[in-house]
Amino acid sequence: MNKNKIDVKIETKKGSMDEWPEPIVRVQSLAESNLSSLPDRYIKPASLRPTTTEDAPAAANIPIIDLEGLFSEEGLSDDVIMARISEACRGWGFFQVVNHGVKPELMDAARENWREFFHLPVNAKETYSNSPRTYEGYGSRLGVEKGASLDWSDYYFLHLLPHHLKDFNKWPSFPPTIREVIDEYGEELVKLSGRIMRVLSTNLGLKEDQFQEAFGGENIGACLRVNYYPKCPRPELALGLSPHSDPGGMTILLPDDQVFGLQVRKDDTWITVKPHPHAFIVNIGDQIQILSNSTYKSVEHRVIVNSDKERVSLAFFYNPKSDIPIQPLQELVSTHNPPLYPPMTFDQYRLFIRTQGPQGKSHVESHISPR
């Protein structure tokens, strides 16, 4: 743990956590200026460009799992569905879910409200500009390193839980329905996340509520990052979001089902996810990989961009209470399977991506304990 604290001090010296290291340029503004080429800051090194990696066959996709009938008053009731989720968590770290209990009308309203917001003129959104201290609000970069490579996207980040961090005044007020829609959407995704957490626990032979209790019971964190990927003049040189694994517990993504963009790394191959209509994409985060002692995998993923179409997606993050130390559960470790990770709070852990930006799987792997 002392080593980790030293690392955090070194990282935060690269830039103040109170302000961005240089003036923010909105990607929307760049896209609307009819560029024929990309500014250098958005051109990725050759090794990271979408065209440099062998793509998977077009038919490849992450698992699609139908949850109908899984959740009943008697508890989890379908061993076949449970087994498919277990296999997806161990082998993929990603899967799509349908018949998940969230109304399609609410999903569509959430996405389209945010699309309307991002279609506002840039100046109308600047009142919500964020800082690297909390990231809450309207933003266009991750990380505080001056001169760092940038991604081709704008975003909006807001808190849903705990309740004392939820501040409607920091949420957009246009379109007029956006606050009401997002509030309801957040409540529904908290419920869905809790149900999936029960499955993850049970599939490891644990008590149904064990993962949830390790996260803090009802005192968990939940937040939303809405991603806006404008049209890009040279998509083969850029990324909408650089390769990374999610630092939190679990991510539930509402994709743009009309425009592909998310890619998942599987066996050194980038697979482009084909969203099923009104499905959510569930993504295991680093905190669940740590709790499960790496039985479940958080997997590297990235976002590609498009020269013809914009794209909007909503990433809901279900996280541990920020000050609880997260470590492999005792029931999952033994002399033959020792704990891989030291205890660390989520507050400590997420400092890395907030200061360094997306960096593949390097953060979670750097905390593996020597055996």
Side-chain angles (χ1 to χ4, degrees):
M1 288 300 296
N2 289 336
K3 177 182 181 297
N4 175 65
K5 290 179 181 176
I6 293 170
D7 287 344
V8 167
K9 288 178 182 177
I10 293 171
E11 291 164 3
T12 54
K13 284 181 180 179
K14 292 192 174 184
S16 166
M17 291 299 289
D18 293 315
E19 59 185 25
W20 300 110
E22 50 216 346
I24 292 294
V25 177
R26 301 303 179 191
V27 175
Q28 178 187 358
S29 296
L30 295 173
E32 291 174 351
S33 64
N34 297 317
L35 297 172
S36 58
S37 60
L38 282 182
D40 289 346
R41 295 287 299 279
Y42 297 91
I43 297 176
K44 297 299 179 185
S47 61
L48 294 181
R49 293 176 194 169
T51 54
T52 61
T53 305
E54 183 82 20
D55 285 335
N61 202 5
I62 62 174
I64 300 174
I65 301 174
D66 190 338
L67 299 185
E68 187 171 16
L70 177 59
F71 305 106
S72 68
E73 293 182 1
E74 290 75 32
L76 303 171
S77 57
D78 193 313
D79 291 343
V80 174
I81 301 174
M82 297 276 287
R84 290 204 64 205
I85 294 174
S86 178
E87 181 180 354
C89 291
R90 295 164 189 258
W92 284 87
F94 273 83
F95 54 98
Q96 297 190 63
V97 292
V98 296
N99 289 317
H100 40 63
V102 181
K103 293 182 293 186
E105 298 82 5
L106 179 60
M107 300 169 71
D108 292 341
R111 189 195 300 109
E112 294 315 308
N113 267 265
W114 280 108
R115 195 186 302 275
E116 283 190 57
F117 170 79
F118 280 109
H119 283 173
L120 287 171
V122 168
N123 288 343
K125 299 191 284 280
E126 290 296 352
T127 186
Y128 301 106
S129 294
N130 70 351
S131 79
R133 173 62 58 186
T134 67
Y135 275 82
E136 191 168 16
Y138 176 48
S140 298
R141 67 176 291 164
L142 293 171
V144 294
E145 186 174 348
K146 191 171 183 178
S149 174
L150 298 176
D151 291 332
W152 191 261
S153 59
D154 298 325
Y155 64 85
Y156 203 104
F157 183 88
L158 54 84
H159 291 289
L160 299 164
L161 290 174
H163 290 295
H164 72 270
L165 291 180
K166 182 179 177 181
D167 184 353
F168 284 119
N169 293 321
K170 296 180 180 178
W171 295 20
S173 58
F174 182 88
T177 56
I178 192 167
R179 291 179 178 177
E180 178 184 352
V181 168
I182 295 309
D183 198 31
E184 180 183 357
Y185 180 82
E187 290 175 357
E188 289 299 312
L189 264 67
V190 168
K191 294 176 190 174
L192 175 60
S193 299
R195 293 195 293 268
I196 295 174
M197 289 282 278
R198 288 162 49 199
V199 176
L200 301 185
S201 282
T202 304
N203 273 339
L204 291 177
L206 304 170
K207 294 184 296 183
E208 209 175 86
D209 63 353
Q210 198 147 348
F211 266 25
Q212 188 70 43
E213 289 303 311
F215 266 38
E218 295 183 2
N219 298 314
I220 52 92
C223 48
L224 183 71
R225 177 184 152 126
V226 186
N227 306 295
Y228 178 62
Y229 304 101
K231 297 175 186 178
C232 179
R234 297 291 304 276
E236 74 280 7
L237 300 178
L239 287 171
L241 192 54
S242 294
H244 66 287
S245 60
D246 288 354
M250 177 169 57
T251 304
I252 298 183
L253 180 75
L254 175 60
D256 191 324
D257 56 11
Q258 301 301 310
V259 186
F260 299 165
L262 175 65
Q263 292 189 323
V264 174
R265 193 165 200 162
K266 173 72 169 171
D267 301 328
D268 292 326
T269 299
W270 289 106
I271 293 175
T272 300
V273 176
K274 290 84 175 173
H276 190 280
H278 293 120
F280 283 117
I281 297 171
V282 180
N283 169 15
I284 298 299
D286 292 348
Q287 302 303 301
I288 284 181
Q289 175 170 320
I290 292 168
L291 273 184
S292 72
N293 206 31
S294 210
T295 300
Y296 295 152
K297 309 299 184 187
S298 67
V299 170
E300 197 173 359
H301 52 287
R302 67 183 185 184
V303 176
I304 56 174
V305 286
N306 192 298
S307 59
D308 299 318
K309 297 178 181 179
E310 66 176 20
R311 184 169 172 271
V312 175
S313 67
L314 282 66
F316 170 87
F317 302 108
Y318 192 81
N319 297 326
K321 187 173 183 289
S322 63
D323 59 356
I324 292 180
I326 299 295
Q327 59 188 313
L329 293 169
Q330 287 188 336
E331 294 84 350
L332 302 178
V333 301
S334 66
T335 53
H336 300 293
N337 185 34
L340 292 175
Y341 308 96
M344 184 180 298
T345 69
F346 184 49
D347 267 344
Q348 294 170 316
Y349 191 89
R350 65 183 166 189
L351 264 180
F352 180 88
I353 196 167
R354 288 189 170 185
T355 56
Q356 302 294 293
Q359 298 285 340
K361 287 274 291 180
S362 62
H363 188 38
V364 69
E365 291 173 353
S366 72
H367 291 291
I368 294 177
S369 302
R371 292 193 170 184

